[in-house]
Each structure stands twice: as structure tokens, then as C-alpha cells.
């Protein structure tokens, strides 16, 4: 399939720059796959739109303040590190910008000189390996001096607000490790979770640490040529059991977000049972994929020519998905990470 089949026109003013307040006041486009029809709702209506007994599964990975600003020690030129994953206590894979200032051997001053880094090698997927020295462990350095990794289409990407630390995070985030938010979960509030529970709709959790491969555009000319970078995943035994019981009883499994969908489908056996445990998920879901676990998908609106939009097209059907996107544009929905959401059933 040509990547151009997953393109659409989006007026720039529909790219959300601020999150909805409160979280569940965002709009919700409900898409019925069987009828190729959609309706306009609000996210706060979710308990009434789902069925008692539905099994919700969400990604509880926590976004780390992974962006560190600094300068080169040799010339004082500005640089930025986006820390991706720890190799050991002091060595991390990081995306560097600009790359020409951070070649192997470069030395950097970080956090106003409070810490230092040395580029020691090449990493995977265009990343570099950096060794970090400072008065704190790297995790504490990030909490003290790191910035939330807002996407570049948010205008204040280089100068996030203090409140972005809390709003670019789900209310149920627990496990440190993501460099981008699992954005479908940003709409949930603690009150909404309580309403879902009272209606007999349980929420269960897994962890997929979102890396840069999730939000990179498709660079290949054909969809089949794209390869997803592996991302760390863990599925607790309790979640695997809850999903199995829901499927056994004929209840629906509702995936909160594309990352949750990929995790569930990656861990699905041929018999439809969900495997518990940890691993590295590299599944690329595209049209033709047979969904073994996910019955309903909650998701945001995604960038053109992205693996996320391809996943939505695989679940809903390409023409139906793009038709709903055209409606969302006409109805002035808000797009991308801080934007509105879809419920696809």
C-alpha cells in the first residue's frame, strides 16, 4: 500500500496547543465500524457509551521529563538531548540536536553546568550513547532540570509551561519510561474512572514505554516496508487474567490508545489468549491485521502518514477512518496529543 493512502488535509489551527480543561470535557467522535457512521459526543459521556462488563485496558507508562538542554564545552553552542532509555546507571541512548555538535567524543555541559555529558558512541535508530556525570542520579537530574517532551507541533515545545509536567501525563501513570504520552489516556479523570467502576466497567493496566518510533512518520514509500522500533512492554498477570475472563464471558476488551492496542495484539497467542510477562514489542499493525484481543479502541486523532493512523485504518477500515477524519475537520475537532478523541466500536 502506498503511504499516500494515509494522508489527509488538516488546517494548522486545528492542532491543539492547550489541553481541554477539565480533561474529560474534550470532544469525542464515536465511530460505528459496522454502519460506517459516526456521532459527536463528549468524553465525559464515556460511562454511558460503554457497556457494563466492558474490560478497559490502559497504558500506565509515565512520561519522563526527558529533554535536557545544554551547551558544548568547546564553544558554548546550544544542544539538546532527548534521553530515550538507560543502558546502565549513567549511560543512556539519546537523540541529540543538532547532531553535528554532538558527534562521538563531544563533551557537553548540561543543566546550567550542574552536570556534564560525553558522547561515547552511536546508538540504535540514529541515537547516540551519552555518559552523564553529575551530583545526582540521572533520574533525579531529569526531575530537577529536564523538560517534558512535548511534540514539536506544540508551539511552546522549547519552553513548556510548568503545568505541562502534569497535563502531559495520564492520571494513572506509574511506571517511568516514556518519551511521549499515551495520549488517549489524557482525557480520563479520577472522577471519570470512579463513574466507570460504578457502572461495572473495570480498568486494567499494562505498560508500554513509548519511544520515538511510535511518533516518527512513515519514511518508506510503501506501508509494508516500514519497521517499528521495539519498545519495552510488561503485561501483569492480573491484566492477562481479566482479559481472558472478559473474552471467555463474551464481554468486550476496550483498548485505551494505540500503544495499548499494539501491546495487547503483540502479546496475543494464536488461541486468542493474552500472554503475561515482559518483552520488546515491535508489532506494526496495518490493514490486513486480524485483531485477536481488541474489540473497541479509544484513541486521539493522529498525524497523516503515521503508523498510528495506519493502525486506526486497520481497525476501522481505511475509507471509514479517513471519512471520520474529514468529518472531524469539518466539525472543528482539535487534533493530536492535546486534542480530542475517538471511540471506535
Amino acid at each position: 500500500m502506498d503511504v499516500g493512502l494515509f494522508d489527509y488535509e488538516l488546517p494548522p489551527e486545528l492542532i491543539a496547543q492547550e489541553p481541554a480543561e477539565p480533561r474529560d470535557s474534550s470532544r469525542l467522535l464515536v465511530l460505528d465500524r459496522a454502519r460506517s457512521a459516526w456521532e459527536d459526543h463528549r468524553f465525559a459521556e464515556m460511562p454511558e457509551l460503554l457497556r457494563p462488563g466492558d474490560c478497559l485496558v490502559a497504558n500506565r507508562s509515565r512520561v519522563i521529563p526527558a529533554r535536557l538542554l545544554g551547551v558544548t564545552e568547546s564553544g558554548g553552542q546550544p544542544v539538546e538531548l532527548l534521553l530515550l532509555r538507560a543502558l546502565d546507571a549513567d549511560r543512556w541512548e539519546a537523540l541529540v540536536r543538532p547532531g553535528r555538535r554532538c558527534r562521538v567524543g563531544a563533551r557537553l555541559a548540561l543543566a546550567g553546568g550542574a552536570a556534564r555529558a560525553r558522547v561515547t558512541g552511536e546508538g540504535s535508530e540514529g541515537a547516540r550513547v551519552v555518559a552523564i556525570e553529575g551530583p545526582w542520579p540521572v533520574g533525579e537530574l531529569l526531575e530537577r532540570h529536564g523538560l517534558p517532551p512535548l511534540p514539536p507541533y506544540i508551539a511552546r515545545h522549547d519552553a513548556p509551561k510548568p503545568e505541562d509536567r502534569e497535563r502531559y501525563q495520564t492520571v494513572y501513570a506509574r511506571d517511568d519510561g516514556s518519551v511521549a504520552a499515551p495520549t488517549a489516556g489524557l482525557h480520563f479523570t479520577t472522577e471519570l474512572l470512579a463513574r466507570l467502576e460504578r457502572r461495572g466497567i473495570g480498568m486494567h493496566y499494562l505498560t508500554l514505554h513509548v519511544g520515538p518510533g511510535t511518533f516518527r512518520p512513515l519514511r518508506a514509500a510503501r506501508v509494508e516496508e516500514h519497521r517499528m522500533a521495539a519498545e519495552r512492554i510488561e503485561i501483569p498477570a492480573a491484566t492477562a487474567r481479566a482479559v481472558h475472563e472478559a473474552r471467555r464471558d463474551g464481554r468486550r476488551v476496550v483498548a485505551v490508545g494505540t500503544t495499548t492496542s499494539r501491546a495487547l495484539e503483540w502479546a496475543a497467542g494464536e488461541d486468542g489468549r493474552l500472554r503475561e510477562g515482559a518483552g520488546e514489542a515491535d508489532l506494526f499493525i496495518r490493514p490486513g491485521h486480524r485483531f485477536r484481543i481488541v474489540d473497541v479502541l479509544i484513541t486521539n486523532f493522529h498525524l497523516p502518514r503515521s503508523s498510528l493512523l495506519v493502525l486506526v485504518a486497520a481497525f476501522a477500515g481505511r475509507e471509514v477512518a479517513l471519512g471520520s477524519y474529514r468529518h472531524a475537520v469539518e466539525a472543528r475537532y482539535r487534533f493530536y496529543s492535546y486534542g480530542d478523541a475517538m471511540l471506535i466500536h
Side-chain angles (χ1 to χ4, degrees):
M1 300 185 75
D2 191 287
V3 170
L5 293 172
F6 300 90
D7 210 346
Y8 67 93
E9 293 293 329
L10 180 69
E13 66 270 16
L14 296 186
I15 300 174
Q17 298 297 311
E18 300 288 344
E21 189 58 46
R23 291 172 181 258
D24 60 1
S25 65
S26 54
R27 297 172 72 187
L28 180 70
L29 182 62
V30 178
L31 172 58
D32 185 328
R33 294 180 290 169
R35 296 192 301 115
S36 299
W38 43 77
E39 297 177 346
D40 300 314
H41 289 270
R42 291 283 173 181
F43 203 91
E45 301 172 55
M46 188 65 72
E48 292 71 45
L49 294 168
L50 295 177
R51 301 173 186 169
D54 279 348
C55 174
L56 268 71
V57 184
N59 183 2
R60 66 184 177 191
S61 180
R62 180 177 178 271
V63 180
I64 60 175
R67 294 177 63 218
L68 281 173
L69 304 182
V71 296
T72 59
E73 288 191 350
S74 58
Q77 298 170 306
V79 295
E80 175 189 318
L81 302 182
L82 178 67
L83 299 192
L84 301 179
R85 66 187 185 98
L87 301 176
D88 53 42
D90 301 316
R91 290 190 315 125
W92 284 64
E93 279 198 336
L95 294 180
V96 299
R97 190 177 68 169
R100 66 182 183 278
R101 297 177 187 167
C102 298
R103 295 190 174 95
V104 176
R107 295 179 179 273
L108 314 172
L110 304 174
R116 301 172 65 195
R118 181 168 55 90
V119 182
T120 62
E122 301 287 344
S124 58
E125 299 288 325
R128 305 279 164 79
V129 177
V130 296
I132 300 175
E133 304 173 2
W136 317 284
V138 175
E140 187 174 347
L141 170 66
L142 292 178
E143 293 298 332
R144 287 171 175 267
H145 295 280
L147 299 175
L150 293 183
Y153 50 74
I154 293 179
R156 62 180 180 280
H157 167 76
D158 288 325
K161 298 178 181 179
E163 51 265 37
D164 285 315
R165 280 180 174 262
E166 182 264 335
R167 284 301 274 111
Y168 194 60
Q169 197 82 263
T170 64
V171 297
Y172 46 74
R174 193 182 84 177
D175 303 328
D176 286 351
S178 282
V179 297
T183 55
L186 296 180
H187 307 279
F188 287 90
T189 66
T190 53
E191 294 78 12
L192 182 59
L193 292 173
R195 286 174 55 210
L196 287 165
E197 185 176 3
R198 289 196 296 270
R199 189 163 159 76
I201 300 169
M203 180 75 95
H204 307 275
Y205 300 98
L206 54 76
T207 299
L208 183 146
H209 292 311
V210 186
T214 290
F215 51 79
R216 280 182 176 139
L218 302 179
R219 295 193 177 97
R222 304 191 67 78
V223 170
E224 295 82 0
E225 297 170 356
H226 179 70
R227 296 293 178 266
M228 293 290 292
E231 294 169 311
R232 288 174 293 156
I233 179 178
E234 182 174 356
I235 298 178
T239 298
R241 184 168 56 251
V243 168
H244 170 68
E245 291 173 353
R247 296 185 61 78
R248 180 197 64 196
D249 299 342
R251 295 180 283 113
R252 301 186 304 178
V253 176
V254 182
V256 180
T258 56
T259 61
T260 300
S261 297
R262 284 197 296 112
L264 291 172
E265 294 296 313
W266 174 82
E270 287 293 333
D271 59 357
R273 290 198 65 135
L274 186 66
R275 303 186 307 270
E276 64 181 84
E280 298 274 332
D282 60 356
L283 176 64
F284 176 35
I285 297 178
R286 59 183 188 265
H289 175 82
R290 180 169 66 89
F291 285 84
R292 295 186 174 94
I293 300 291
V294 179
D295 302 305
V296 180
L297 173 62
I298 299 171
T299 185
N300 276 24
F301 294 95
H302 302 294
L303 278 74
R305 298 175 178 246
S306 65
S307 64
L308 308 180
L309 180 56
V310 171
L311 185 153
V312 171
F315 189 74
R318 188 186 69 87
E319 293 184 2
V320 174
L322 291 178
S324 68
Y325 269 53
R326 286 191 292 271
H327 167 78
V329 169
E330 293 168 1
R332 311 296 288 178
Y333 275 71
R334 301 163 69 248
F335 278 65
Y336 303 166
S337 292
Y338 273 162
D340 296 317
M342 297 181 71
L343 171 66
I344 308 173
H345 64 92

